Amino acid sequence: MSRLFRIETLPPVVFVTGDREERLALSACGGRIQAIADQVAGHFAPGEPVGLIFRSGPDLVLAWLGVLHAGRVPCVLQYPTEKLNKGYWRDSIQHTMAVCGIRGLVHAPELAEVPGENLLLAPGETPLRADFPEAGSILQLSSGTTGYKKGVAFSFEHLASHMEAYNQVLGLDGTDCIVSWLPLYHDMGFVACFLLPLMLGVPIVMMDPMVWVARPALLLEAAAAHGGTTCFMPNFAFEVLAKAGGPRCPSMKRWISCSETVYLETFEKFQAATGADPSTLFACYAMAENVFAVTQSRGLEVVEVDGVRHVSCGRPIPGTRLKVVDGEILVRSPHSLHAYAGGEDIRDGEGFYPTGDLGLLADGAVVITGRKRDLVNIAGRKFMLNDLDLRMGALFPESAGRIASLARFDAALGTERVLFLVEVPKPWRWAPTAEQMQAIRETTGLESFDCYPVPPAFITKTSSGKINRVETLKDWTLAERAAAPSAGPADLQGDLDAMFGHLDKDRPVGDLMDSMGLVALRMICEDHGVPFHPGMTLGGIVAPEPARVAEPAGEVFSIVALMDGIKLGFGSPWSLVDEAFLDQLSRIVGCPVTFEHLVVPPLPVLLSDLVFHDYFLPRQAHPGFSAVAECLAKIERASLLIVDDEDNFRLPPLCVYPQLDHRSTHSQLEDFLAHRFTRYTLKHHLLPRKPVLGLEITPAAVLEALEDLRMALRKPIMTLAFHQEFMQHTWNWDYHEYRAFQGDEDYQRRPIDLERVRMAIAAYVARHRDACERIPGEGPNRFVMKDPPHFCSFLVNPKAVEWLVNRYDSFCILGLPSSVPFLEKALDRLGKRYFHSPALDPGRDDFDCVIMTGASGQPATTRPVFDLVHAGETAGCPRNLDPEEARQVPTFMVGAPDLLQDLKPEFYDMLPLGNFFLNGGKREFLLEWFHPREQA
């Protein structure tokens, strides 16, 4: 054939989304393909590889054809899914681009942070003819089970010869229809379900993998509706469909299991559930290194080896040769791989390449028994890890598909040992019983092993759904060893410049800053191990090797109060904790006592962040984690925690909280999060996080998280209840002093019963002192209170911020860079001048207006002042404006009734300008408000 494809013979493609279908007649899309090709030709040289990242849909298909038409080399890269760790995804994309020489990407518009010189396509509708080149190459990727994906390049000639050889076995023609949910960045979806039907003119019914995951039966429905005749899937998908239900597909001729070990039990379950004719069940052995198919069965063939029944993958397709060396299968064909992109020749002296798969030939047919890297040798006995995965899934069906069987060397025994990681929603509540441990021994044949729970998303999988055992074991080893994970090197000078770069470097900081600035400076100093005192100067803080405070010997009883600072005495002349109280506690526990107030989000969010800290933070290397990691580490090391009902019951309906994302995904809304000054969020704007609406944090969720924290941390947590409004939820807490809430000022004027609370805490400590761990340290008793009273967090209105930054040219920001990330991004985008001031007196006058993002009080200026963060009695109200100017200030919150209908009337007065409380609305509305479709 002179060309791989011809526009007039391209088949139609139907894209199924579940609630609708879109039919694309490719033979009539020459103009759209030409328009894309023109754009690509303007950015990439002839023959240059081009990366493509889209969901499975029309944009991906047209972009791929457009790149091919332009004479460039298209390579489909993985689109990020909700289940994929985004840090690993970004690293894998960068690795692929480096080894394959991909300089730029063509990607979906929602992917704003992918690496490379990115190009967004806006294909036109000009009715031109598209002619594909007669020669060229195509780049696809290996599955990546042993690490990152490798590039595999093939010429048009090799592609055509392979597909012609494979179709001699399949016998596909224009009367067939391929139905697929497989992604095009995987060789089975790319070659068998895309290139092959394009070449043969076979209609395609396609759906995005995440659409199928959400509704597996959709595949059976689409196959029945469109007369599907052929479907390629990995073994696990047959398992899923056996449980999903759905219509029978009488038109189906070929259910082909491929890409991972084919299990007879799975085929039997699938057949029983769907009524599939046994003659339609096939097995295929395939890999990107041979373009796709290596062997293909003629039906369901079963071979017994050493008393175990295996599904045969059939005989080699025409032109392909196999041999087995030391149990490993090697392949050679006219189109098989010589070397991975950027790598050395992988063939032996006879031209065969090693597959890494273990198996045997039975009457010329291939039987795959496992992966070479999945073989574990324990004291001379051999086990296949993929078989262990399947057996563990049968024992723990609620975690089936989310269990990783790993092998690591046991130095004490001098042999390998199996480690099972089981994903469960709450690892602290899960442990295999003695009966289950015995069942594991009997089912797997292992006498000795380790079995640990891990949270969802911990196990790393490849794009085809296989477990990446190398990456998963590395992550587990890091988490196992990380008692106190390092957040990586931090830049002391950079932190100082960001906050205090404009201040005098030679004056004592106590003379330059107010309390907020001194607290911020103290936090920076502590992060870098520099002793703090008000008499120090900014210039004297930075030294070539800052002396870090040595950890003294001895023990300290650490009490961390995750409670309202107002109840402790914040802003009042009195204090709950004084020297006499600390002395009393010290006598009870027999060592020095540290009583520290720490502001954190509500317990459900805190619990999720602690899971991140223990399981996912060790694999990170971002200095932005230093502040939150320090807070979480203090909570985990504490001897005793104290919580109350302020941050967990009263405040949530008014707030939107940041939650660290376990998959390192950056939410579309995270830039709009705004926080008062807190130690916990000092560098939060640098981290992947997602907003949690406060109304989703129900009292039931708080109480459940409280019990989970007790189990997860294995330490006492004392509970204090003050709000009469929530007594039905806190009646069984450790301390009650109910009153109707009148405002923070009420507690500052009429404090809680200080002596009674002290007595309750002392009694609780005395009862639980034996259950409380001490931490290393010594020295005098200390009361540490340097956070604000409670956790104030919400979403700012970006349209109001845009109005503000467009109105003025230069700005003084009273607050931290982490307070309102969207503000600084808007200023940087417009090239506007701004600086941060740690004090209400900026100490300079080169600005047009003041924006308060965390400070409270009245700034020392006559210029306009806007408060974007709720703080103080005049929060949100513009200041220093004449009445006419004030009337032009837009509402800094969305006033749509459907957003506020669920809020209690008494909260309405707490919605000042700048405080964008969105709890009454739906997330879909928020996304539409912040990212209108016409601007996407």
Side-chain angles (χ1 to χ4, degrees), residues 261 263 305 310 327 329 357-360 367-371 384 386-387:
T261 303
Y263 289 97
V305 180
H310 296 271
I329 296 173
D357 291 314
L358 300 176
L360 52 91
V367 176
I368 303 298
T369 57
R371 290 285 296 169
M384 295 305 305
N386 54 307
D387 286 340

Side-chain angles (χ1 to χ4, degrees), residues 623-683:
F625 285 107
S626 60
V628 66
E630 178 198 6
C631 294
L632 294 172
K634 282 186 177 182
I635 292 171
E636 293 195 331
R637 291 196 307 264
S639 308
L640 169 68
L641 298 177
I642 301 178
V643 302
D644 72 352
D645 52 359
E646 175 73 18
D647 273 311
N648 292 290
F649 291 101
R650 190 185 75 81
L651 284 178
L654 306 175
C655 296
V656 179
Y657 296 97
Q659 180 174 294
L660 297 176
D661 189 86
H662 294 185
R663 293 183 171 89
S664 297
T665 304
H666 286 270
S667 164
Q668 296 181 52
L669 298 178
E670 69 179 75
D671 279 347
F672 308 125
L673 281 163
H675 318 291
R676 285 280 302 280
F677 167 77
T678 63
R679 189 180 188 86
Y680 196 87
T681 60
L682 180 62
K683 300 179 180 180

Side-chain angles (χ1 to χ4, degrees), residues 387-556:
D387 286 340
L388 297 180
D389 292 340
L390 190 71
R391 295 174 189 178
M392 288 290 288
L395 289 175
F396 304 100
E398 66 281 0
S399 295
R402 296 181 290 110
I403 301 175
S405 305
L406 310 174
R408 56 179 176 174
F409 185 74
D410 188 329
L413 297 176
T415 187
E416 289 185 296
R417 182 181 178 89
V418 171
L419 163 68
F420 295 116
L421 299 182
V422 183
E423 284 191 2
V424 292
K426 296 182 177 182
W428 51 88
R429 288 185 179 269
W430 190 93
T433 64
E435 292 78 9
Q436 288 173 325
M437 292 291 283
Q438 182 59 32
I440 294 175
R441 294 186 186 95
E442 294 174 355
T443 302
T444 63
L446 295 168
E447 289 296 325
S448 179
F449 54 86
D450 297 310
C451 185
Y452 296 106
V454 292
F458 182 86
I459 295 172
T460 298
K461 292 192 174 184
T462 69
S463 60
S464 58
K466 301 174 186 175
I467 294 171
N468 187 325
R469 302 187 200 277
V470 173
E471 197 71 21
T472 300
L473 181 58
K474 181 181 73 174
D475 291 339
W476 172 257
T477 303
L478 290 171
E480 195 175 38
R481 293 175 179 174
S486 172
D491 179 9
L492 173 58
Q493 187 65 62
D495 286 349
L496 291 174
D497 289 344
M499 280 298 297
F500 315 111
H502 64 287
L503 296 181
D504 190 330
K505 303 295 188 296
D506 299 320
R507 290 181 58 192
V509 294
D511 298 338
L512 290 173
M513 307 177 191
D514 60 8
S515 59
M516 186 192 79
L518 292 175
V519 170
L521 180 59
R522 180 190 293 271
M523 291 169 59
I524 291 174
C525 288
E526 290 182 355
D527 281 344
H528 295 272
V530 177
F532 170 84
H533 59 86
M536 67 195 315
T537 65
L538 291 172
I541 292 176
V542 180
E545 293 291 337
R548 297 187 176 272
V549 179
E551 189 73 32
E555 290 185 333
V556 170

Side-chain angles (χ1 to χ4, degrees), residues 98 185 279-280 328 332 340 419 441 509 553 604 636 669 699 794 864:
Y185 48 76
S279 65
T280 65
E328 181 180 6
R332 183 185 71 191
Y340 293 106
L419 163 68
R441 294 186 186 95
V509 294
E636 293 195 331
L669 298 178
F794 42 85

Side-chain angles (χ1 to χ4, degrees), residues 126 143 163 253 276 292 311 332 365 412 536 561 652 823:
T126 309
S143 64
M163 289 187 282
K253 302 176 185 177
F292 179 61
V311 175
R332 183 185 71 191
M536 67 195 315
L823 171 63

Side-chain angles (χ1 to χ4, degrees), residues 673-856:
L673 281 163
H675 318 291
R676 285 280 302 280
F677 167 77
T678 63
R679 189 180 188 86
Y680 196 87
T681 60
L682 180 62
K683 300 179 180 180
H684 246 49
H685 63 301
L686 304 175
L687 309 180
R689 55 199 182 142
K690 60 183 179 181
V692 176
L693 302 182
L695 282 184
E696 296 175 356
I697 302 176
T698 63
V702 170
L703 296 176
E704 181 180 0
L706 176 61
E707 293 309 308
D708 283 334
L709 275 172
R710 285 191 170 115
M711 295 184 67
L713 298 176
R714 295 186 177 90
K715 66 183 60 184
I717 302 178
M718 185 180 183
T719 50
L720 310 181
F722 300 103
H723 290 288
Q724 181 177 315
E725 179 182 357
F726 306 108
M727 62 186 302
Q728 71 271 30
H729 305 296
T730 60
W731 61 270
N732 62 344
W733 281 25
D734 299 305
Y735 178 84
H736 313 90
E737 187 179 326
Y738 293 124
R739 74 167 74 165
F741 180 70
Q742 302 294 327
D744 293 339
E745 296 80 6
D746 176 55
Y747 282 102
Q748 290 168 334
R749 292 192 305 268
R750 299 189 303 119
I752 57 178
D753 191 329
L754 302 181
E755 189 55 37
R756 183 166 166 251
V757 176
R758 290 173 186 148
M759 289 176 60
I761 294 175
Y764 189 95
V765 169
R767 287 197 307 272
H768 295 88
R769 61 185 172 188
D770 293 337
C772 297
E773 294 183 3
R774 276 65 166 172
I775 65 173
E778 63 182 19
N781 300 324
R782 289 187 305 130
F783 175 44
V784 182
M785 189 171 181
K786 53 191 177 184
D787 256 357
H790 33 243
F791 203 99
C792 296
S793 178
F794 42 85
L795 296 172
V796 296
N797 181 345
K799 296 183 178 180
V801 174
E802 294 281 8
W803 174 90
L804 180 58
V805 299
N806 277 288
R807 185 176 179 85
Y808 300 96
D809 293 324
S810 57
F811 303 83
C812 168
I813 300 175
L814 299 185
L816 301 173
S818 59
S819 293
V820 187
F822 180 74
L823 171 63
E824 292 192 33
K825 289 191 175 182
L827 290 170
D828 289 338
R829 187 174 63 251
L830 295 174
K832 297 294 182 75
R833 291 187 298 107
Y834 64 91
F835 66 92
H836 289 274
S837 174
L840 288 175
D841 182 358
R844 51 194 282 189
D845 59 2
D846 55 337
F847 57 90
D848 296 331
C849 80
V850 172
I851 301 179
M852 300 181 67
T853 65
S856 59

